[in-house]
Amino acid sequence: MPGAPAKQADFFRAIAGAVPHDVARLYWYARVTLLGDVADLAAFDRVFEQWFGRGLGAALVVPPPVRDSEVRSPRDGAGRELPASDARPGSGIAASALATAGRRGFGRTDPRQRDLMRLLRDAWPANLPTLPSRRRRPSRSGRELDMRRTWQRARRNDGEIAELRWTTRPRRTRRLLLLVDVSGSLRQHTPELLRLAHAALRGVPERTEVFTFGTRLTRVTGALSGARVDRALHAVSGAVHDADGGTAIGAAMRRFLDNPRYLALARGALVVVISDGLERGDCTAMIRSTERLSRLAYRLIWWSPLACSPTYRPVTRGMAGVLRHLDHLGGVRDLASGLAEVGRIPSVAAGPRRSAHLRRE
Amino acid sequence: MDDEESLAVALSAAGYFADGGLLTAVHLALRLGRPLLLEGEPGVGKTELAAVLSRVLDRELIRLQCFEGLDSGQALYEWDYPKQLLRVRTAEARGEAIGDLYAEEFLLQRPLLRAVRSERGAVLLIDEIDRADNEFEAFLLEFLSDFQITVPELATLRARRTPVVVLTSNRTRELHDALRRRCLYHWIAFPDAQRERAILHAHVPGLAEEAAAELVRAVAEIRALPLLKRPGVAESIDWARGAAALVDGGSAWPTALRRALGLLIKDEEDTRLLDERAKEIFHHS
């Protein structure tokens, strides 16, 4: 628990000014001054409990709506965890609901991959959709008068306005949100797909967010954003515990949408889901979440390794249901096919919304 | 407002029912002169608290609504260029000296500066700080630690009376640690049943006792459902008002509650979910 000196000083000033009469008051004094984020509340309560009370914390704790980055393993209708016998990692056809595989390495980056990643690093920012910024900037070709600068010029000419200055709203890249499936059925593609995401983070830092999902949902933006790709992938393999395990796409997406902080990342963003869409069991949740995601996003693109094959038709129940909410369904299985699909983003952004099914039937 | 008890009395007289934690937070913010950062689900009364505080403390309420692209010209001050220009022109025409163009009369005061200059002290509400850019937070730091603003052409302006600063956030993005460190922090949870009843009584005059109890119970059950947007206190007040209006029009309470549901739930998907559960939730009615 971080307790910065400034916060500690606040706490001491608080109790020095008026000595709290009971533990409840002391609890609130400490919480208001020392706590900085509701996410730390559980830890704070534990520490407070250890120091000041036996069985007291339970009465005081207001349960926070903790919506953590990690997703619980899926439950059946009655709220029990699904039986472990369902766990059969590796096969995408019968993807299991429970992750069993753990940490996994993603190999070293070879020279061919490095070349492709360099191309991708330029391709990502060049092809992402943009929108006019709220903040005006000085510009020769602008349309709105820049009073401040015009006046500054005029002052040098004794108040004579000799030339006008203008401002414009420069275009700004929209946010990019990548949701990468790391379950067992994509096992052979995962290392390259994560490199694709790394190139996006390098090409459009600040505007890119990356999540992985299998049976859980993990935000890997931080882990993946280092400059050195192999080191970043190592960090990701430490953060992602459900790699090569089962799939629960619907549950993971639902979890994403339930968290208001994550939700805000999807709003108005270009959302790219990289997954084969092979959902285990009932796919209603996946379809409904996709529908919602599609409404939030500026454009929703789905990249599937299966779609690389020219004979592929999205006929599984899950993909068939998802398709009409998508703006584009593309085939991506490695860096090269990823580069090709990134180049297609502008035409997707220019086209009508939710038209993937028109092109794919 | 020397202790929490008198604060509680004053706030509830103004129609705001705070729980113990919030009272402590407000009390400490006033006593230590620290900004108060409030987080919580939408509609739990974060913004309302600032409005009520301004009434209770008899201070001016100054509101800064944050949005993406908010800059210092909109938050702090700006020089009134057209006015300066006019002054130059009239001085010229009359053959007078131009005088000082960077005097206070040419300063357009924006919310933060107004809070600093306020004569009787201000309650400054910096609303939805999470909507502003990261850079804006950095820019707030000087203001929040010293309550002063430097206008290079003029002077460094200090607050005459330390303003009471309330920041609210809906947690759509992470706030920077440096900002959190300067603030007292409180997470406002949904009110418990008793407090919510008190709130309804204060805001919906003429609400019958059983109706209020029924309403609060239903709202609590609805909040426990996996909704996209859980209804806040503001929504439950709207709902109670709507239902009360329908009852005045001749409806019975249970039907009025169900018919006014659109004031509580504002999402099509949530409405569908609620329709499925309507029997359980309204089984008492």
Side-chain angles (χ1 to χ4, degrees):
Chain A
M1 261 223 68
K7 301 222 110 188
Q8 289 174 19
D10 270 346
F11 175 57
F12 293 135
R13 277 165 63 206
I15 48 178
V19 180
H21 313 296
D22 48 23
V23 188
R25 185 63 56 84
L26 177 68
Y27 170 84
W28 283 113
Y29 274 27
R31 181 172 147 181
V32 165
T33 49
L34 296 176
L35 191 71
D37 190 325
V38 72
D40 299 331
L41 183 56
F44 172 84
D45 283 342
R46 263 202 313 281
V47 173
F48 190 87
E49 165 85 5
Q50 259 175 18
W51 278 91
F52 294 107
R54 307 258 172 281
L56 172 109
L60 287 170
V61 176
V62 183
V66 177
R67 288 165 165 177
D68 239 348
S69 57
E70 301 233 313
V71 175
R72 284 193 315 175
S73 49
R75 318 254 143 173
D76 62 14
R80 291 181 302 264
E81 276 202 21
L82 285 163
S85 60
D86 275 343
R88 232 176 297 138
S91 142
I93 300 140
S96 90
L98 279 181
T100 51
R103 189 182 175 119
R104 158 176 186 200
F106 297 112
R108 294 185 60 83
T109 314
D110 59 38
R112 187 193 61 87
Q113 288 175 327
R114 282 191 192 282
D115 285 344
L116 280 168
M117 286 177 73
R118 208 165 298 131
L119 289 175
L120 271 163
R121 211 148 59 214
D122 298 332
W124 273 115
N127 289 300
L128 285 184
T130 58
L131 79 169
S133 158
R134 305 269 337 149
R135 201 177 297 200
R136 312 196 70 93
R137 293 256 177 259
S139 155
R140 273 171 197 284
S141 55
R143 278 302 175 79
E144 196 139 313
L145 203 55
D146 188 344
M147 277 307 291
R148 176 197 284 233
R149 277 180 186 73
T150 304
W151 173 226
Q152 277 169 357
R153 302 291 296 181
R155 266 182 21 236
R156 294 186 199 162
N157 303 327
D158 301 323
E160 203 62 57
I161 296 177
E163 53 179 325
L164 296 178
R165 290 295 169 117
W166 302 93
T167 61
T168 186
R169 294 173 63 183
R171 298 200 69 85
R172 201 164 55 94
T173 312
R174 276 182 189 274
R175 230 193 320 267
L176 170 68
L177 172 66
L178 292 173
L179 300 170
V180 186
D181 190 341
V182 291
S183 61
S185 54
L186 283 113
R187 184 185 170 82
Q188 50 169 328
H189 305 300
T190 304
E192 293 243 321
L193 295 179
L194 286 175
R195 286 185 171 86
L196 184 68
H198 182 263
L201 265 171
R202 297 287 297 151
V204 204
E206 306 285 312
R207 307 298 293 168
T208 305
E209 286 287 338
V210 184
F211 288 78
T212 63
F213 65 92
T215 52
R216 300 147 164 251
L217 176 77
T218 321
R219 187 181 192 168
V220 294
T221 312
L224 200 59
S225 55
R228 310 267 295 269
V229 55
D230 286 336
R231 200 170 289 174
L233 288 179
H234 185 74
V236 170
S237 75
V240 177
H241 302 293
D242 54 343
D244 301 343
T247 325
I249 307 178
M253 285 172 102
R254 179 87 211 201
R255 199 70 190 177
F256 177 90
L257 293 168
D258 277 349
N259 185 327
R261 267 194 292 169
Y262 293 167
L263 195 81
L265 300 174
R267 194 161 275 146
L270 175 73
V271 181
V272 181
V273 181
I274 310 182
S275 166
D276 53 12
L278 295 177
E279 175 75 317
R280 175 191 167 281
D282 186 12
C283 43
T284 335
M286 177 169 96
I287 296 171
R288 284 184 62 175
S289 305
T290 314
E291 182 183 357
R292 178 113 197 278
L293 202 55
S294 173
R295 282 204 306 266
L296 285 165
Y298 168 70
R299 291 287 186 279
L300 176 61
I301 292 177
W302 194 295
W303 287 345
S304 163
L306 303 176
C308 288
S309 151
T311 57
Y312 171 74
R313 293 285 173 275
V315 287
T316 55
R317 253 183 318 139
M319 278 319 283
V322 159
L323 192 63
R324 64 201 159 86
H325 304 304
L326 300 183
D327 295 297
H328 178 62
L329 173 62
V332 171
R333 61 174 171 218
D334 51 20
L335 289 168
S337 52
L339 186 60
E341 278 297 331
V342 170
R344 258 174 228 138
I345 291 175
S347 74
V348 174
R353 288 223 58 186
R354 303 189 182 89
S355 54
H357 62 284
L358 301 176
R359 273 175 264 174
R360 271 281 173 183
E361 268 166 16
Chain B
M1 243 42 75
D2 296 333
D3 53 38
E4 279 140 80
E5 285 71 29
S6 54
L7 188 66
V9 171
L11 285 182
S12 44
Y16 194 96
F17 299 87
D19 59 13
L22 185 58
L23 284 175
T24 306
V26 173
H27 170 69
L28 286 181
L30 294 177
R31 187 147 65 81
L32 303 180
R34 284 279 187 164
L36 177 60
L37 170 62
L38 296 176
E39 290 191 325
E41 303 254 351
V44 289
K46 302 187 288 290
T47 306
E48 179 66 14
L49 176 71
V52 168
L53 268 182
S54 81
R55 288 205 297 276
V56 165
L57 302 173
D58 188 29
R59 285 172 170 228
E60 185 185 357
L61 177 69
I62 297 173
R63 176 171 178 165
L64 175 65
Q65 171 68 49
C66 295
F67 55 87
E68 210 173 308
L70 180 68
D71 62 15
S72 62
Q74 291 150 326
L76 273 185
Y77 68 90
E78 197 157 30
W79 289 105
D80 193 343
Y81 305 113
K83 202 171 166 189
Q84 288 177 325
L85 200 58
L86 278 175
R87 163 63 67 85
V88 173
R89 292 290 183 202
T90 45
E92 234 170 37
R94 292 183 191 155
E96 295 165 359
I98 291 174
D100 188 4
L101 284 179
Y102 288 95
E104 283 206 46
E105 57 178 313
F106 298 110
L107 199 61
L108 289 175
Q109 301 192 9
R110 305 290 192 217
L112 295 191
L113 185 60
R114 264 171 51 214
V116 163
R117 315 267 314 181
S118 174
E119 288 287 344
R120 58 188 172 109
V123 173
L124 174 65
L125 169 64
I126 302 178
D127 213 4
E128 303 191 317
I129 172 80
D130 49 336
R131 282 179 188 251
D133 317 78
N134 288 318
E135 296 81 8
F136 184 72
E137 267 174 49
F139 162 86
L140 269 181
L141 295 180
E142 182 199 2
F143 176 79
L144 289 182
S145 41
D146 305 330
F147 299 113
Q148 65 177 33
I149 289 174
T150 308
V151 183
E153 296 89 344
L154 215 59
T156 295
L157 305 170
R158 282 197 138 277
R160 288 167 205 179
R161 283 182 74 184
T162 307
V164 177
V165 183
V166 177
L167 297 102
T168 75
S169 156
N170 286 326
R171 287 175 75 77
T172 58
R173 81 182 163 77
E174 297 260 350
L175 298 182
H176 201 280
D177 262 351
L179 182 74
R180 291 182 180 278
R181 254 204 322 273
R182 279 165 178 78
C183 299
L184 300 175
Y185 174 84
H186 184 65
W187 170 270
I188 303 188
F190 285 121
D192 56 29
Q194 192 192 351
R195 185 158 293 119
E196 190 149 22
R197 266 213 304 279
I199 295 171
L200 286 181
H201 267 297
H203 289 266
V204 192
L207 187 66
E209 192 64 51
E210 320 88 88
E214 173 70 11
L215 215 130
V216 167
R217 197 191 45 74
V219 168
E221 273 180 45
I222 289 169
R223 279 190 195 134
L225 294 177
L227 297 177
L228 299 178
K229 160 82 181 72
R230 295 198 280 168
V233 180
E235 276 89 1
S236 61
I237 292 175
D238 278 351
W239 191 32
R241 281 196 185 133
L246 288 177
V247 169
D248 286 345
S251 280
W253 261 110
T255 24
L257 279 183
R258 293 193 58 167
R259 279 176 56 202
L261 212 54
L263 290 165
L264 190 72
I265 300 294
K266 296 173 183 174
D267 186 282
E268 195 255 349
E269 226 172 286
D270 286 350
T271 314
R272 250 185 290 152
L273 178 70
L274 207 61
D275 280 344
E276 291 164 20
R277 304 286 187 85
K279 271 225 174 70
E280 303 163 33
I281 293 169
F282 296 104
H283 64 286
H284 299 290
S285 325

